[in-house]
Coordinates of all heavy atoms in Angstrom, one line a residue:
M1 N 11.7 -0.7 15.2 CA 10.6 -1.7 14.8 C 9.4 -1.0 14.2 O 8.9 0.0 14.7 CB 10.2 -2.5 16.1 CG 9.2 -3.5 15.8 SD 9.8 -5.1 15.5 CE 10.2 -5.7 17.1
R2 N 9.0 -1.5 13.0 CA 7.8 -0.9 12.4 C 6.8 -2.0 12.2 O 7.2 -3.2 11.9 CB 8.1 -0.2 11.1 CG 8.9 -1.0 10.2 CD 9.7 -0.2 9.2 NE 9.0 0.4 8.1 CZ 9.2 0.2 6.8 NH1 10.1 -0.6 6.4 NH2 8.4 0.8 5.9
T3 N 5.5 -1.7 12.3 CA 4.5 -2.7 12.0 C 3.9 -2.3 10.6 O 3.5 -1.2 10.4 CB 3.3 -2.6 13.0 OG1 3.9 -2.9 14.3 CG2 2.3 -3.7 12.7
L4 N 4.0 -3.3 9.7 CA 3.5 -3.0 8.3 C 2.2 -3.8 8.1 O 2.2 -5.0 8.4 CB 4.6 -3.4 7.3 CG 5.8 -2.6 7.4 CD1 7.0 -3.2 6.5 CD2 5.6 -1.2 6.8
Y5 N 1.3 -3.2 7.5 CA 0.0 -3.9 7.1 C 0.0 -4.1 5.6 O 0.5 -3.3 4.9 CB -1.2 -3.0 7.6 CG -1.2 -2.8 9.1 CD1 -0.6 -1.7 9.6 CD2 -1.8 -3.7 9.9 CE1 -0.6 -1.5 11.0 CE2 -1.9 -3.5 11.3 CZ -1.2 -2.4 11.8 OH -1.2 -2.2 13.2
W6 N -0.6 -5.2 5.3 CA -0.7 -5.5 3.8 C -2.1 -5.9 3.4 O -2.9 -6.3 4.3 CB 0.3 -6.5 3.4 CG 0.2 -7.9 4.1 CD1 0.7 -8.1 5.4 CD2 -0.3 -9.1 3.6 NE1 0.4 -9.4 5.7 CE2 -0.2 -10.0 4.6 CE3 -0.9 -9.4 2.4 CZ2 -0.6 -11.4 4.5 CZ3 -1.3 -10.7 2.2 CH2 -1.2 -11.7 3.2
S7 N -2.4 -5.8 2.1 CA -3.7 -6.0 1.6 C -4.0 -7.3 0.9 O -4.9 -8.0 1.2 CB -4.1 -4.8 0.7 OG -5.3 -5.0 0.2
S8 N -3.1 -7.6 -0.1 CA -3.3 -8.9 -0.8 C -2.0 -9.1 -1.6 O -1.0 -8.4 -1.4 CB -4.5 -8.8 -1.8 OG -4.3 -7.8 -2.7
T9 N -2.0 -10.2 -2.4 CA -0.8 -10.4 -3.2 C -0.9 -9.6 -4.5 O -2.0 -9.4 -5.0 CB -0.7 -11.9 -3.6 OG1 -0.8 -12.7 -2.4 CG2 0.5 -12.2 -4.3
C10 N 0.2 -9.1 -4.9 CA 0.3 -8.2 -6.1 C -0.1 -8.9 -7.4 O 0.4 -10.0 -7.7 CB 1.8 -7.8 -6.2 SG 2.1 -6.8 -7.6
A11 N -1.0 -8.3 -8.1 CA -1.5 -8.8 -9.4 C -0.4 -8.6 -10.5 O -0.5 -9.2 -11.6 CB -2.8 -8.2 -9.8
N12 N 0.6 -7.8 -10.3 CA 1.6 -7.5 -11.3 C 2.6 -8.6 -11.3 O 3.0 -9.1 -12.3 CB 2.2 -6.1 -11.0 CG 3.1 -5.7 -12.2 OD1 2.8 -5.9 -13.3 ND2 4.2 -5.1 -11.8
C13 N 3.2 -8.9 -10.1 CA 4.3 -9.9 -10.1 C 3.8 -11.2 -9.4 O 4.5 -12.2 -9.5 CB 5.5 -9.4 -9.3 SG 5.2 -9.1 -7.5
N14 N 2.6 -11.2 -8.8 CA 2.1 -12.4 -8.2 C 3.0 -13.0 -7.1 O 2.9 -14.2 -6.8 CB 1.8 -13.5 -9.2 CG 0.6 -13.1 -10.1 OD1 -0.4 -12.7 -9.7 ND2 0.8 -13.1 -11.4
Q15 N 3.8 -12.2 -6.5 CA 4.8 -12.7 -5.5 C 4.7 -11.8 -4.2 O 4.6 -12.3 -3.1 CB 6.2 -12.6 -6.0 CG 6.5 -13.7 -7.0 CD 8.0 -13.8 -7.3 OE1 8.7 -12.8 -7.4 NE2 8.5 -15.0 -7.5
G16 N 4.8 -10.5 -4.4 CA 4.9 -9.6 -3.3 C 3.6 -9.3 -2.6 O 2.5 -9.5 -3.2
R17 N 3.7 -8.9 -1.4 CA 2.5 -8.4 -0.7 C 2.3 -6.9 -0.9 O 3.3 -6.2 -1.1 CB 2.7 -8.7 0.8 CG 2.6 -10.1 1.2 CD 3.0 -10.3 2.7 NE 4.5 -10.0 2.9 CZ 5.2 -10.3 3.9 NH1 4.6 -10.9 4.9 NH2 6.4 -9.9 4.1
L18 N 1.1 -6.5 -1.0 CA 0.8 -5.1 -1.2 C 0.8 -4.4 0.2 O -0.1 -4.6 1.0 CB -0.5 -4.9 -1.9 CG -0.5 -5.5 -3.3 CD1 -1.9 -5.4 -3.9 CD2 0.5 -4.7 -4.2
L19 N 1.8 -3.6 0.5 CA 2.0 -3.0 1.8 C 1.3 -1.6 1.7 O 1.4 -0.8 0.8 CB 3.4 -2.8 2.1 CG 4.3 -4.0 2.0 CD1 5.7 -3.7 2.4 CD2 3.8 -5.1 3.0
F20 N 0.6 -1.3 2.8 CA 0.0 0.0 2.9 C 1.0 1.1 3.2 O 2.0 0.9 4.0 CB -1.0 0.1 4.1 CG -2.3 -0.7 3.8 CD1 -2.5 -2.0 4.3 CD2 -3.3 -0.2 3.0 CE1 -3.6 -2.7 4.0 CE2 -4.4 -0.9 2.7 CZ -4.6 -2.2 3.2
Q21 N 0.8 2.2 2.5 CA 1.7 3.4 2.7 C 0.8 4.6 2.8 O -0.3 4.7 2.2 CB 2.7 3.6 1.6 CG 3.9 2.6 1.6 CD 4.8 3.0 2.7 OE1 5.6 3.9 2.6 NE2 4.7 2.3 3.9
N22 N 1.3 5.6 3.6 CA 0.6 6.9 3.7 C 1.3 7.9 2.8 O 2.5 8.1 3.0 CB 0.8 7.3 5.2 CG -0.4 7.9 5.8 OD1 -1.4 8.2 5.1 ND2 -0.4 8.0 7.1
D23 N 0.6 8.4 1.9 CA 1.1 9.5 1.0 C 0.8 10.8 1.8 O -0.4 11.3 1.7 CB 0.5 9.4 -0.4 CG 0.7 10.6 -1.2 OD1 1.4 11.6 -0.7 OD2 0.1 10.7 -2.3
I24 N 1.7 11.3 2.5 CA 1.4 12.5 3.3 C 1.4 13.8 2.5 O 0.8 14.8 2.9 CB 2.4 12.7 4.5 CG1 3.8 12.8 4.1 CG2 2.2 11.5 5.5 CD1 4.8 13.0 5.2
T25 N 2.0 13.8 1.3 CA 1.9 14.9 0.4 C 0.5 15.1 -0.1 O -0.1 16.2 -0.1 CB 2.8 14.7 -0.8 OG1 4.2 14.5 -0.3 CG2 2.8 16.0 -1.7
N26 N -0.2 14.0 -0.5 CA -1.5 14.1 -1.0 C -2.6 13.6 0.0 O -3.8 13.6 -0.4 CB -1.7 13.3 -2.3 CG -0.7 13.8 -3.4 OD1 -0.8 15.0 -3.8 ND2 0.3 13.0 -3.8
A27 N -2.2 13.3 1.2 CA -3.1 12.9 2.3 C -4.0 11.7 1.8 O -5.2 11.8 1.8 CB -3.9 14.1 2.8
R28 N -3.3 10.6 1.4 CA -4.1 9.5 1.0 C -3.3 8.2 1.3 O -2.1 8.2 1.4 CB -4.5 9.5 -0.4 CG -3.3 9.5 -1.4 CD -3.7 9.8 -2.8 NE -2.4 9.9 -3.6 CZ -2.4 10.3 -4.9 NH1 -3.5 10.7 -5.4 NH2 -1.3 10.3 -5.6
V29 N -4.1 7.1 1.5 CA -3.4 5.8 1.8 C -3.5 5.0 0.5 O -4.5 5.0 -0.3 CB -4.2 5.1 2.9 CG1 -3.6 3.7 3.1 CG2 -4.1 5.8 4.2
Y30 N -2.4 4.4 0.1 CA -2.4 3.5 -1.1 C -1.6 2.2 -0.7 O -1.1 2.1 0.4 CB -1.7 4.3 -2.2 CG -0.2 4.5 -2.1 CD1 0.7 3.7 -2.7 CD2 0.2 5.5 -1.3 CE1 2.1 3.9 -2.5 CE2 1.6 5.8 -1.1 CZ 2.5 4.9 -1.8 OH 3.9 5.1 -1.6
V31 N -1.5 1.3 -1.6 CA -0.7 0.1 -1.4 C 0.4 0.0 -2.4 O 0.2 0.5 -3.6 CB -1.5 -1.2 -1.4 CG1 -2.5 -1.3 -0.3 CG2 -2.2 -1.4 -2.8
H32 N 1.5 -0.5 -2.0 CA 2.6 -0.8 -3.0 C 3.2 -2.1 -2.8 O 3.3 -2.6 -1.6 CB 3.6 0.4 -3.1 CG 4.7 0.3 -2.1 ND1 6.0 0.1 -2.5 CD2 4.7 0.2 -0.8 CE1 6.8 0.0 -1.4 NE2 6.0 0.1 -0.4
C33 N 3.7 -2.7 -3.8 CA 4.2 -4.1 -3.8 C 5.6 -4.1 -3.2 O 6.5 -3.3 -3.7 CB 4.2 -4.7 -5.1 SG 5.0 -6.3 -5.2
E34 N 5.9 -5.0 -2.3 CA 7.2 -5.1 -1.7 C 8.3 -5.6 -2.7 O 9.5 -5.5 -2.5 CB 7.2 -5.9 -0.4 CG 6.8 -7.4 -0.7 CD 6.6 -8.2 0.6 OE1 7.1 -7.8 1.6 OE2 5.8 -9.2 0.5
E35 N 7.8 -6.3 -3.7 CA 8.7 -6.9 -4.7 C 9.0 -6.0 -5.9 O 10.1 -5.8 -6.3 CB 8.2 -8.3 -5.1 CG 8.1 -9.3 -4.0 CD 9.5 -9.8 -3.6 OE1 10.4 -9.7 -4.4 OE2 9.6 -10.3 -2.4
C36 N 7.9 -5.6 -6.6 CA 8.1 -5.0 -7.9 C 7.8 -3.5 -7.8 O 7.9 -2.8 -8.8 CB 7.2 -5.6 -8.9 SG 5.4 -5.4 -8.7
E37 N 7.3 -2.9 -6.6 CA 7.1 -1.5 -6.4 C 5.9 -1.0 -7.2 O 5.7 0.2 -7.4 CB 8.3 -0.6 -6.8 CG 9.6 -1.1 -6.1 CD 9.6 -0.8 -4.6 OE1 8.7 -0.1 -4.1 OE2 10.5 -1.4 -3.9
W38 N 5.1 -1.9 -7.7 CA 3.9 -1.5 -8.4 C 2.9 -1.1 -7.3 O 2.8 -1.7 -6.2 CB 3.3 -2.6 -9.3 CG 2.4 -2.2 -10.4 CD1 1.1 -2.3 -10.5 CD2 2.8 -1.5 -11.6 NE1 0.6 -1.8 -11.6 CE2 1.7 -1.3 -12.3 CE3 4.1 -1.1 -12.1 CZ2 1.7 -0.6 -13.6 CZ3 4.1 -0.4 -13.3 CH2 2.9 -0.2 -14.0
G39 N 2.1 -0.1 -7.6 CA 1.1 0.4 -6.5 C -0.3 0.7 -7.0 O -0.5 0.8 -8.3
W40 N -1.2 0.7 -6.1 CA -2.6 1.0 -6.5 C -3.1 2.0 -5.5 O -2.9 2.0 -4.3 CB -3.5 -0.2 -6.4 CG -3.3 -1.1 -7.6 CD1 -4.1 -1.2 -8.7 CD2 -2.4 -2.2 -7.7 NE1 -3.7 -2.2 -9.5 CE2 -2.6 -2.8 -9.0 CE3 -1.3 -2.7 -6.9 CZ2 -1.9 -3.9 -9.4 CZ3 -0.6 -3.8 -7.4 CH2 -0.8 -4.3 -8.6
L41 N -3.9 3.0 -6.0 CA -4.5 4.0 -5.2 C -5.9 3.6 -4.6 O -6.3 4.1 -3.5 CB -4.7 5.3 -6.0 CG -3.4 6.0 -6.4 CD1 -3.8 7.2 -7.3 CD2 -2.7 6.5 -5.2
H42 N -6.6 2.7 -5.3 CA -7.9 2.4 -4.9 C -8.1 0.9 -4.8 O -7.7 0.1 -5.7 CB -9.0 3.0 -5.9 CG -8.8 4.4 -6.1 ND1 -9.0 5.4 -5.1 CD2 -8.3 5.1 -7.2 CE1 -8.7 6.6 -5.6 NE2 -8.3 6.5 -6.8
P43 N -8.8 0.4 -3.8 CA -9.0 -1.1 -3.7 C -9.8 -1.7 -4.9 O -9.5 -2.9 -5.2 CB -9.8 -1.2 -2.4 CG -10.3 0.1 -2.0 CD -9.4 1.1 -2.7
E44 N -10.6 -1.0 -5.6 CA -11.4 -1.6 -6.7 C -10.4 -2.0 -7.8 O -10.8 -2.8 -8.6 CB -12.4 -0.6 -7.3 CG -13.3 0.2 -6.3 CD -12.6 1.4 -5.7 OE1 -12.4 2.4 -6.4 OE2 -12.2 1.3 -4.6
G45 N -9.3 -1.3 -7.9 CA -8.4 -1.6 -9.0 C -7.4 -2.7 -8.8 O -6.6 -3.0 -9.7
L46 N -7.4 -3.3 -7.6 CA -6.3 -4.2 -7.3 C -6.0 -5.4 -8.2 O -4.9 -5.8 -8.4 CB -6.6 -4.8 -5.9 CG -6.2 -3.9 -4.7 CD1 -6.4 -4.8 -3.4 CD2 -4.8 -3.4 -4.8
G47 N -7.1 -5.9 -8.8 CA -6.9 -7.1 -9.7 C -6.4 -6.7 -11.1 O -6.0 -7.5 -11.9
D48 N -6.3 -5.4 -11.4 CA -6.1 -4.9 -12.7 C -4.7 -4.1 -12.7 O -4.6 -3.0 -12.2 CB -7.2 -3.9 -13.1 CG -7.1 -3.4 -14.6 OD1 -6.1 -3.8 -15.2 OD2 -7.9 -2.7 -15.0
V49 N -3.7 -4.7 -13.4 CA -2.4 -4.1 -13.4 C -2.4 -2.7 -14.1 O -1.7 -1.8 -13.6 CB -1.4 -5.1 -14.1 CG1 0.0 -4.4 -14.3 CG2 -1.3 -6.4 -13.4
A50 N -3.3 -2.6 -15.1 CA -3.3 -1.3 -15.8 C -3.8 -0.2 -14.9 O -3.6 1.0 -15.3 CB -4.3 -1.5 -17.0
Q51 N -4.5 -0.5 -13.9 CA -5.0 0.6 -13.0 C -3.9 1.0 -11.9 O -4.1 1.9 -11.1 CB -6.3 0.2 -12.3 CG -7.4 0.1 -13.2 CD -8.8 0.0 -12.5 OE1 -9.0 0.6 -11.5 NE2 -9.6 -0.9 -12.9
G52 N -2.8 0.3 -11.9 CA -1.7 0.6 -11.0 C -0.7 1.5 -11.6 O -0.9 2.0 -12.7
F53 N 0.3 1.8 -10.8 CA 1.4 2.7 -11.3 C 2.7 2.3 -10.6 O 2.7 1.6 -9.6 CB 1.0 4.2 -10.9 CG 0.9 4.4 -9.4 CD1 1.9 5.1 -8.8 CD2 -0.1 4.0 -8.6 CE1 1.9 5.4 -7.4 CE2 -0.2 4.2 -7.3 CZ 0.8 4.9 -6.6
L54 N 3.8 2.8 -11.2 CA 5.1 2.5 -10.6 C 5.4 3.5 -9.6 O 5.6 4.7 -9.9 CB 6.2 2.5 -11.7 CG 7.5 2.0 -11.3 CD1 7.5 0.6 -10.7 CD2 8.5 2.1 -12.5
T55 N 5.4 3.0 -8.3 CA 5.5 4.0 -7.2 C 6.9 4.7 -7.2 O 7.0 5.8 -6.6 CB 5.3 3.2 -5.9 OG1 6.2 2.1 -5.7 CG2 3.9 2.7 -5.8
L56 N 7.9 4.1 -7.8 CA 9.2 4.7 -7.7 C 9.2 6.0 -8.5 O 10.1 6.9 -8.2 CB 10.3 3.7 -8.4 CG 10.5 2.5 -7.6 CD1 11.5 1.6 -8.4 CD2 11.1 2.8 -6.2
L57 N 8.3 6.2 -9.4 CA 8.3 7.4 -10.3 C 7.5 8.5 -9.6 O 7.5 9.6 -10.2 CB 7.7 7.1 -11.6 CG 8.4 6.0 -12.5 CD1 7.7 5.8 -13.8 CD2 9.9 6.4 -12.7
S58 N 6.9 8.3 -8.5 CA 6.0 9.3 -7.9 C 6.8 10.1 -6.9 O 7.8 9.7 -6.3 CB 4.9 8.6 -7.1 OG 4.2 7.8 -8.0
D59 N 6.4 11.4 -6.9 CA 7.1 12.4 -6.1 C 6.3 12.8 -4.9 O 5.6 13.8 -5.0 CB 7.5 13.5 -7.0 CG 8.4 14.6 -6.3 OD1 9.0 14.2 -5.3 OD2 8.4 15.7 -6.7
Y60 N 6.4 12.1 -3.8 CA 5.7 12.5 -2.6 C 6.3 11.9 -1.4 O 7.1 10.9 -1.5 CB 4.2 12.1 -2.7 CG 3.9 10.7 -3.1 CD1 4.2 9.6 -2.3 CD2 3.3 10.5 -4.4 CE1 4.0 8.3 -2.8 CE2 3.0 9.2 -4.8 CZ 3.4 8.1 -4.0 OH 3.1 6.8 -4.4
E61 N 6.0 12.4 -0.3 CA 6.6 11.9 1.0 C 5.6 10.8 1.5 O 4.4 10.9 1.5 CB 6.7 13.0 2.0 CG 7.6 14.1 1.6 CD 9.1 13.6 1.7 OE1 9.4 13.0 2.7 OE2 9.9 14.0 0.8
T62 N 6.2 9.7 2.1 CA 5.4 8.7 2.6 C 5.8 8.3 4.1 O 7.0 8.5 4.5 CB 5.5 7.4 1.8 OG1 6.8 6.9 1.9 CG2 5.1 7.6 0.4
T63 N 4.9 7.8 4.8 CA 5.1 7.2 6.1 C 4.4 5.9 6.2 O 3.5 5.5 5.3 CB 4.6 8.1 7.2 OG1 3.2 8.3 7.1 CG2 5.3 9.4 7.2
D64 N 4.7 5.1 7.2 CA 3.9 3.9 7.5 C 2.6 4.2 8.2 O 2.6 4.9 9.2 CB 4.7 2.9 8.4 CG 6.0 2.4 7.7 OD1 6.0 2.3 6.5 OD2 6.9 2.1 8.5
P65 N 1.5 3.9 7.6 CA 0.2 4.2 8.2 C -0.1 3.3 9.4 O 0.4 2.2 9.5 CB -0.8 4.0 7.1 CG -0.2 2.9 6.3 CD 1.3 3.1 6.3
T66 N -0.8 3.9 10.4 CA -1.2 3.1 11.5 C -2.5 2.4 11.1 O -3.1 2.7 10.1 CB -1.6 4.0 12.7 OG1 -2.7 4.9 12.4 CG2 -0.4 4.8 13.1
L67 N -2.9 1.4 11.9 CA -4.1 0.6 11.6 C -5.3 1.6 11.6 O -6.2 1.5 10.7 CB -4.3 -0.4 12.7 CG -5.5 -1.3 12.5 CD1 -5.4 -2.1 11.2 CD2 -5.6 -2.3 13.7
E68 N -5.3 2.6 12.4 CA -6.4 3.6 12.5 C -6.5 4.4 11.2 O -7.5 4.7 10.7 CB -6.2 4.5 13.7 CG -6.5 3.9 15.0 CD -5.4 2.9 15.5 OE1 -4.2 3.1 15.0 OE2 -5.6 2.0 16.2
E69 N -5.3 4.8 10.7 CA -5.3 5.5 9.4 C -5.8 4.7 8.3 O -6.5 5.2 7.4 CB -3.9 6.0 9.1 CG -3.5 7.2 10.1 CD -2.0 7.5 9.9 OE1 -1.1 6.6 9.8 OE2 -1.7 8.7 10.0
I70 N -5.5 3.4 8.2 CA -6.0 2.6 7.2 C -7.5 2.4 7.3 O -8.3 2.5 6.3 CB -5.3 1.2 7.2 CG1 -3.8 1.4 7.0 CG2 -5.9 0.3 6.1 CD1 -3.0 0.1 7.3
E71 N -8.0 2.2 8.5 CA -9.4 2.0 8.8 C -10.2 3.3 8.4 O -11.4 3.2 8.1 CB -9.6 1.7 10.2 CG -9.0 0.4 10.6 CD -9.9 -0.8 10.6 OE1 -11.1 -0.6 10.6 OE2 -9.5 -2.0 10.5
R72 N -9.6 4.4 8.5 CA -10.3 5.7 8.2 C -10.3 5.9 6.7 O -11.0 6.8 6.2 CB -9.6 6.9 8.9 CG -10.0 7.1 10.3 CD -9.7 8.6 10.7 NE -8.4 9.0 10.5 CZ -7.4 8.9 11.4 NH1 -7.7 8.4 12.6 NH2 -6.2 9.3 11.1
S73 N -9.5 5.2 5.9 CA -9.5 5.4 4.5 C -10.4 4.5 3.7 O -11.1 3.7 4.3 CB -8.0 5.1 4.0 OG -7.8 3.7 3.9
E74 N -10.4 4.6 2.4 CA -11.2 3.7 1.6 C -10.8 2.3 1.6 O -11.4 1.4 1.1 CB -11.3 4.2 0.1 CG -9.9 4.2 -0.5 CD -10.0 4.8 -1.9 OE1 -10.6 4.2 -2.8 OE2 -9.3 5.8 -2.2
W75 N -9.6 2.0 2.2 CA -9.0 0.7 2.3 C -9.6 -0.1 3.5 O -9.2 -1.2 3.7 CB -7.5 0.8 2.4 CG -6.9 1.3 1.1 CD1 -6.6 2.5 0.8 CD2 -6.6 0.5 -0.1 NE1 -6.0 2.6 -0.5 CE2 -6.0 1.4 -1.0 CE3 -6.7 -0.9 -0.4 CZ2 -5.6 0.9 -2.3 CZ3 -6.2 -1.3 -1.6 CH2 -5.7 -0.4 -2.5
R76 N -10.4 0.5 4.2 CA -11.1 -0.2 5.3 C -11.7 -1.5 4.9 O -12.4 -1.5 3.9 CB -12.2 0.8 5.9 CG -12.8 0.3 7.1 CD -13.6 1.5 7.7 NE -14.2 1.1 9.0 CZ -15.4 0.6 9.1 NH1 -16.2 0.5 8.1 NH2 -15.8 0.3 10.3
G77 N -11.4 -2.6 5.6 CA -12.0 -3.9 5.2 C -11.1 -4.6 4.2 O -11.4 -5.7 3.7
H78 N -10.0 -4.0 3.8 CA -9.1 -4.6 2.8 C -7.7 -5.0 3.4 O -6.7 -5.2 2.7 CB -8.8 -3.7 1.6 CG -10.0 -3.5 0.8 ND1 -10.4 -4.3 -0.3 CD2 -11.0 -2.5 0.9 CE1 -11.5 -3.9 -0.8 NE2 -11.9 -2.8 -0.1
I79 N -7.7 -5.1 4.8 CA -6.4 -5.5 5.4 C -6.3 -7.0 5.6 O -7.2 -7.6 6.2 CB -6.3 -4.8 6.8 CG1 -6.5 -3.3 6.6 CG2 -5.0 -5.1 7.5 CD1 -6.8 -2.6 7.9
A80 N -5.3 -7.6 5.0 CA -5.2 -9.1 5.1 C -4.4 -9.5 6.3 O -4.6 -10.6 6.8 CB -4.6 -9.6 3.8
G81 N -3.4 -8.7 6.6 CA -2.5 -9.1 7.7 C -1.5 -8.0 8.0 O -1.5 -7.0 7.4
S82 N -0.6 -8.3 9.0 CA 0.4 -7.4 9.4 C 1.7 -8.2 9.8 O 1.6 -9.4 10.1 CB 0.0 -6.5 10.5 OG -0.2 -7.2 11.7
F83 N 2.8 -7.5 9.8 CA 4.0 -8.1 10.3 C 5.0 -7.1 10.8 O 4.8 -5.9 10.5 CB 4.7 -9.0 9.2 CG 5.1 -8.2 8.0 CD1 6.4 -7.8 7.9 CD2 4.2 -8.0 7.0 CE1 6.8 -7.0 6.8 CE2 4.6 -7.3 5.8 CZ 5.9 -6.8 5.7
E84 N 5.9 -7.5 11.6 CA 6.9 -6.5 12.2 C 8.2 -6.6 11.4 O 8.6 -7.6 11.0 CB 7.2 -6.9 13.7 CG 6.0 -7.2 14.5 CD 5.6 -5.9 15.3 OE1 6.4 -5.3 15.9 OE2 4.4 -5.5 15.1
E85 N 8.8 -5.4 11.3 CA 10.0 -5.4 10.6 C 11.0 -4.5 11.4 O 10.6 -3.4 11.9 CB 9.8 -4.7 9.2 CG 11.0 -4.8 8.3 CD 10.7 -4.2 6.9 OE1 10.9 -3.0 6.8 OE2 10.3 -5.0 6.0
T86 N 12.2 -5.0 11.5 CA 13.2 -4.2 12.3 C 14.0 -3.3 11.4 O 14.1 -3.6 10.3 CB 14.1 -5.1 13.1 OG1 14.6 -6.1 12.3 CG2 13.3 -5.7 14.3
Ligands
LIG1 ZN1 4.5 -6.9 -7.3

């Protein structure tokens, strides 16, 4: 069971939720879309598809961040909700 936190609806596909991920290679938290895999590094860019990137092309290790890790990042205050996934 994992708890996933999300930020908002994706501006690229307008369907998926933007799930928080921990990029442990570069030590940063970002969001990526559960539907189209588009991602954003910074909360200011969320409404702008051009500021995003295709997360599938990135070469780094990721984990699911804890609520505390998100709160410690620049994404603090951008958490819309969470859900459990088995
Ligand atoms: Zn999307």
Side-chain angles (χ1 to χ4, degrees):
M1 182 90 81
R2 54 203 283 238
T3 303
L4 294 168
Y5 298 92
W6 58 282
S7 177
S8 61
T9 304
C10 175
N12 188 41
C13 68
N14 293 307
Q15 286 189 324
R17 290 170 294 194
L18 295 174
L19 307 180
F20 287 100
Q21 283 288 281
N22 222 348
D23 166 3
I24 58 175
T25 303
N26 299 298
R28 62 189 176 191
V29 175
Y30 69 100
V31 293
H32 87 117
C33 175
E34 61 187 338
E35 295 290 335
C36 70
E37 309 291 346
W38 204 251
W40 283 267
L41 291 175
H42 307 291
E44 314 83 74
L46 278 188
D48 185 358
V49 174
Q51 290 191 43
F53 65 104
L54 187 57
T55 56
L56 293 175
L57 299 178
S58 301
D59 186 21
Y60 47 68
E61 296 288 319
T62 64
T63 60
D64 295 331
T66 63
L67 183 58
E68 290 71 28
E69 286 171 320
I70 300 168
E71 297 264 341
R72 275 204 306 268
S73 76
E74 64 184 292
W75 291 94
R76 188 165 186 265
H78 293 273
I79 304 165
S82 67
F83 60 96
E84 308 268 308
E85 189 179 87
T86 48

